[in-house]
Amino acid sequence: MSPTALPGLVSELARDVLAGPARPARVIAVARQALYLLPHGQRAPLALVVPGAVRVPAAVVLPRAAGERPFHGLTPGRTGRVGAGRIAIGSLCLTAGEFWAPPRAQDAAPGPVLDRLATLRPPRPLPAEVRPAARALVRMLAHGGTAARRRAARALLGLGPGATPSGDDFLCGLLLAALVQPRPPDWLAALAHVAAEADTLTPPVSAALLRHAAEGLCIPQVAALLRAAATGSDPSGPVTALLAVGHSSGCDLLHGLCAGARLATRARDGVRPRSTPS
């Protein structure tokens, strides 16, 4: 007997693949609150997430009727199907209930956002193995040429701990900070180029997040922080929410956002940039 289809809250980024022809989809990562499916022929994975989990840009949010452990027994390599209006894996079957639009960093007001992000100091340092590469990248973004910037950015791909490595999260933060600037900085192109080629250098989930960041797409916790910075609201709540993302991903993202904002404000004010990641 086929499992009962449940309505999911589907990202606009998944609309076309869900509506397209049915195709095999392989589980590439799974945790208690999220499962990532890579449909055959697709570059980017779909994230199936439980309510309350981090909503990455290409997420399909399960309804509560899916239960407390909807991914129990599913492991990487397991094959399901995506398309023809359904996502099916194991005993889980989803249809499109409603659609949601991932937030964009560009929707924040650039001036206040950059000035306020530049004053924030993440409470924890980047992982020790990531710090030298992050500092080197910030130096190259301030003073280097295109090739040097690309090399420095590639050195961070896949570097550090986490399901999305810390170096990738830092790069995502830098990309998002670049896109809230009134005029994109000249170093944005180098980072976007590296994000576009990340598939072979970092896990596919992380590579997809980098490509999304290069378009300005972000998780709601980042969007909330940008809104607070834009309106002059107390950022402590949004910062706390961002720091709670993953084991270290939220903090590493915040490091990238702050480093990008400081590069922007120092360039605007004619101050020589420093290697800021701690």
Side-chain angles (χ1 to χ4, degrees), residues 162-258:
T164 56
S166 293
D168 296 351
D169 293 324
F170 181 77
L171 285 170
C172 282
L174 280 170
L175 283 161
L176 294 169
L179 288 166
V180 298
Q181 298 185 29
R183 180 177 298 172
D186 61 357
W187 47 262
L188 173 59
L191 294 193
H193 179 90
V194 171
E197 64 177 17
D199 293 283
T200 61
L201 300 169
T202 198
V205 170
S206 201
L209 292 175
L210 280 162
R211 290 194 299 274
H212 291 149
E215 298 173 12
L217 298 169
C218 60
I219 58 176
Q221 290 86 346
V222 167
L225 175 58
L226 295 178
R227 283 195 300 271
T231 60
S233 304
D234 181 2
S236 57
V239 166
T240 298
L242 180 56
L243 293 174
V245 171
H247 179 67
S248 65
S249 287
C251 190
D252 300 333
L253 261 168
L254 182 58
H255 273 286
L257 285 166
C258 295

Side-chain angles (χ1 to χ4, degrees), residues 2-255:
S2 298
T4 301
L6 299 171
L9 181 61
V10 180
S11 168
E12 290 285 357
L13 300 182
R15 183 189 287 269
D16 289 345
V17 68
L18 187 59
R23 68 185 78 180
R26 178 172 52 89
V27 176
I28 59 172
V30 62
R32 185 177 177 86
Q33 294 191 318
L35 178 144
Y36 288 85
L37 277 174
L38 186 62
H40 180 72
Q42 290 289 123
R43 187 180 184 190
L46 296 180
L48 309 185
V49 303
V50 302
V54 177
R55 194 181 291 188
V56 296
V60 177
V61 184
L62 276 60
R64 297 195 181 278
E68 294 185 359
R69 301 184 67 189
F71 311 126
H72 179 67
L74 298 175
T75 55
R78 181 76 176 266
T79 301
R81 292 187 75 76
V82 172
R86 293 195 171 202
I87 300 170
I89 179 71
S91 62
L92 187 62
C93 184
L94 301 169
T95 60
E98 297 180 1
F99 289 88
W100 69 280
R104 289 184 178 272
Q106 297 95 317
D107 292 339
V113 167
L114 294 168
D115 288 328
R116 291 178 180 127
L117 285 180
T119 66
L120 295 179
R121 293 295 183 272
R124 302 188 301 272
L126 287 167
E129 63 268 42
V130 177
R131 259 172 269 161
R135 290 174 179 147
L137 175 58
V138 170
R139 285 196 299 271
M140 287 301 102
L141 296 184
H143 307 298
T146 298
R149 288 167 173 171
R150 290 181 182 178
R151 284 194 300 271
R154 285 192 196 101
L156 279 162
L157 287 176
L159 184 64
T164 56
S166 293
D168 296 351
D169 293 324
F170 181 77
L171 285 170
C172 282
L174 280 170
L175 283 161
L176 294 169
L179 288 166
V180 298
Q181 298 185 29
R183 180 177 298 172
D186 61 357
W187 47 262
L188 173 59
L191 294 193
H193 179 90
V194 171
E197 64 177 17
D199 293 283
T200 61
L201 300 169
T202 198
V205 170
S206 201
L209 292 175
L210 280 162
R211 290 194 299 274
H212 291 149
E215 298 173 12
L217 298 169
C218 60
I219 58 176
Q221 290 86 346
V222 167
L225 175 58
L226 295 178
R227 283 195 300 271
T231 60
S233 304
D234 181 2
S236 57
V239 166
T240 298
L242 180 56
L243 293 174
V245 171
H247 179 67
S248 65
S249 287
C251 190
D252 300 333
L253 261 168
L254 182 58
H255 273 286

